[in-house]
Amino acid sequence: MFSGAQISLYPMTDDFVRVILGAIGALEPYRPHFRIETDDISTLIVGPPEQLFPAMRDLFVSAAGGGIHCVLAATASRGCPGEPDDPICTPIAGSRHDRPLAERIAAALEKVQSAPKTGQNVAAQFSLYPLGSGHHMDEIYGCIDFLKQSGVFDRSKNFCTKLRGDAGQVFATLSEAFLRFGAPEGHVALDVKVSANSPTKA
Amino acid sequence: MFSGAQISLYPMTDDFVRVILGAIGALEPYRPHFRIETDDISTLIVGPPEQLFPAMRDLFVSAAGGGIHCVLAATASRGCPGEPDDPICTPIAGSRHDRPLAERIAAALEKVQSAPKTGQNVAAQFSLYPLGSGHHMDEIYGCIDFLKQSGVFDRSKNFCTKLRGDAGQVFATLSEAFLRFGAPEGHVALDVKVSANSPTKA
């Protein structure tokens, strides 16, 4: 199964190049596990699905730590039939997302509750797209059940769900949504924006 | 059919609030046709599917016109079964996307070729998600055929397609991809980032 993400970081400052270059160092511990490619729009990371969101969390917390208003926008994908299988993407732990929805929701909640806090408060909104299945709305509604119990659920919006809380819990929630819902070997995409230090009142 | 988009504008400058507030004026001509709601992450526009991308184009060209590095990120959606039908979303022209792929491709190309130029050069990357259908890859491959002939095709990337050219042609291409591919009354989502004035060489 091929898995990865296209990631962009937007620091709202004249000094955006320095903020981006400074934050990229946070990806160092992940480099042995990932293929990484950058162009003028985004950085591609290809690797184990469980490590995509921890890598994004560390990148984003590093960029936002200085107090600048920053946004991370990413498109994560697993199981795309148009991509070749890549051994680098093999999940480390055994996948359990062929289990019934209720079991997957419980396992996801456990992961979120045990995720370490980062001290960085964030708001996020995302959409989950389970593709090529006749039951895509069942999986979406199951995922929404999980989100409402996650402790970081903010509200449902048109086309997406909004989360708010510590970056540790928010990125863990995104990761669980991505890993545990949709067909086990199916094509699942997740689009997300994460924002910190916005001057706009929520 | 419900249709709309969640739109965010990221000007990479200390002065980002002024740039955003200045650009929002470009949405004025669309206000009679749209419902518009803003929070700290994005602005929702709900209205006729044909007008979503022209509105985004005018907003983005206005923001990027001063030469600041800007990115627009948006999630557009039509036919989501979780959303109520809304009379405001009724397409103005008759939809033709129940026709065979070859016919839809020809019609889309005609629209792109006749789109007015804006003088603003942009790069964009996007993913199209035709949901809930067993044939989602057929529609994606048909859309890719169209993109390759659009005149603004840059290259295929993992999980997305990259476009480059005048904002007029690029936003027209995005609009055609959104309107003409996927089931006619089906659920289609499109995720896009558009960038201008990047200091990074492509």
Side-chain angles (χ1 to χ4, degrees):
Chain A
M1 185 171 76
F2 193 87
S3 69
Q6 293 282 3
I7 306 171
S8 304
L9 195 56
Y10 308 121
M12 258 55 79
T13 168
D14 295 349
D15 214 13
F16 64 94
V17 174
R18 190 192 53 79
V19 175
I20 293 171
L21 295 178
I24 281 176
L27 292 180
E28 279 310 319
Y30 299 93
R31 283 195 188 271
H33 310 291
F34 282 134
R35 174 158 67 82
I36 303 184
E37 293 167 14
T38 297
D39 70 8
D40 59 324
I41 302 239
S42 61
T43 290
L44 171 72
I45 59 175
V46 172
E50 292 94 326
Q51 295 198 25
L52 298 174
F53 288 88
M56 287 189 245
R57 175 198 61 206
D58 292 354
L59 176 71
F60 187 65
V61 168
S62 173
I68 294 290
H69 175 31
C70 281
V71 170
L72 176 142
T75 299
S77 172
R78 63 175 173 83
C80 178
E83 311 277 357
D85 275 353
D86 193 324
I88 203 177
C89 301
T90 306
I92 294 165
S95 148
R96 291 180 49 188
H97 49 274
D98 50 346
R99 302 287 182 86
L101 267 174
E103 239 180 83
R104 285 182 276 154
I105 291 172
L109 287 171
E110 206 180 294
K111 281 274 191 182
V112 172
Q113 278 149 17
S114 65
K117 295 214 167 180
T118 66
Q120 176 68 57
N121 204 50
V122 301
Q125 79 186 27
F126 79 105
S127 309
L128 183 73
Y129 304 115
L131 293 150
S133 149
H135 304 291
H136 83 288
M137 291 308 289
D138 292 346
E139 290 291 321
I140 288 179
Y141 290 131
C143 184
I144 290 172
D145 274 358
F146 153 61
L147 296 170
K148 288 192 171 165
Q149 302 176 58
S150 68
V152 292
F153 180 79
D154 184 87
R155 64 193 181 92
S156 294
K157 292 176 63 172
N158 292 109
F159 322 132
C160 55
T161 298
K162 192 164 173 184
L163 309 177
R164 187 180 301 279
D166 186 276
Q169 276 61 53
V170 167
F171 279 93
T173 299
L174 293 168
S175 186
E176 293 303 308
F178 178 68
L179 294 172
R180 292 195 200 266
F181 300 90
E185 296 297 317
H187 182 193
V188 174
L190 185 151
D191 170 57
V192 64
K193 279 101 191 169
V194 187
S195 170
N197 311 320
S198 169
T200 304
K201 293 273 193 307
Chain B
M1 186 169 76
F2 193 87
S3 70
Q6 292 281 4
I7 306 171
S8 304
L9 194 56
Y10 307 122
M12 258 54 81
T13 170
D14 295 349
D15 214 13
F16 64 95
V17 174
R18 191 192 52 81
V19 174
I20 293 171
L21 294 179
I24 281 176
L27 291 181
E28 280 308 319
Y30 298 93
R31 283 194 188 268
H33 310 291
F34 283 134
R35 174 159 66 85
I36 303 184
E37 292 168 14
T38 297
D39 70 9
D40 59 325
I41 303 241
S42 61
T43 291
L44 170 72
I45 59 175
V46 171
E50 294 95 325
Q51 295 200 24
L52 298 174
F53 288 88
M56 288 189 244
R57 174 198 62 207
D58 293 352
L59 176 71
F60 187 65
V61 168
S62 172
I68 295 291
H69 175 33
C70 282
V71 170
L72 176 142
T75 300
S77 171
R78 61 174 174 85
C80 178
E83 311 276 358
D85 275 351
D86 193 324
I88 203 176
C89 301
T90 306
I92 293 163
S95 148
R96 291 180 48 187
H97 50 274
D98 50 346
R99 303 286 181 87
L101 267 175
E103 239 179 84
R104 284 181 279 155
I105 291 171
L109 288 171
E110 207 180 292
K111 280 275 194 182
V112 172
Q113 278 148 18
S114 64
K117 295 213 167 179
T118 65
Q120 176 67 56
N121 205 48
V122 301
Q125 79 186 27
F126 79 104
S127 309
L128 183 73
Y129 305 115
L131 293 150
S133 151
H135 303 290
H136 82 288
M137 291 308 286
D138 292 345
E139 289 291 321
I140 288 178
Y141 289 131
C143 183
I144 290 172
D145 274 357
F146 153 60
L147 296 170
K148 288 193 171 163
Q149 301 175 60
S150 67
V152 292
F153 180 79
D154 184 88
R155 64 192 181 92
S156 293
K157 292 176 64 171
N158 292 108
F159 322 131
C160 55
T161 298
K162 193 165 173 184
L163 309 177
R164 189 179 298 281
D166 186 276
Q169 275 61 53
V170 167
F171 278 93
T173 299
L174 293 167
S175 186
E176 294 302 309
F178 177 68
L179 295 172
R180 293 194 199 265
F181 301 91
E185 296 298 315
H187 183 192
V188 174
L190 185 152
D191 171 57
V192 64
K193 279 101 190 167
V194 186
S195 170
N197 311 319
S198 170
T200 305
K201 294 270 192 309

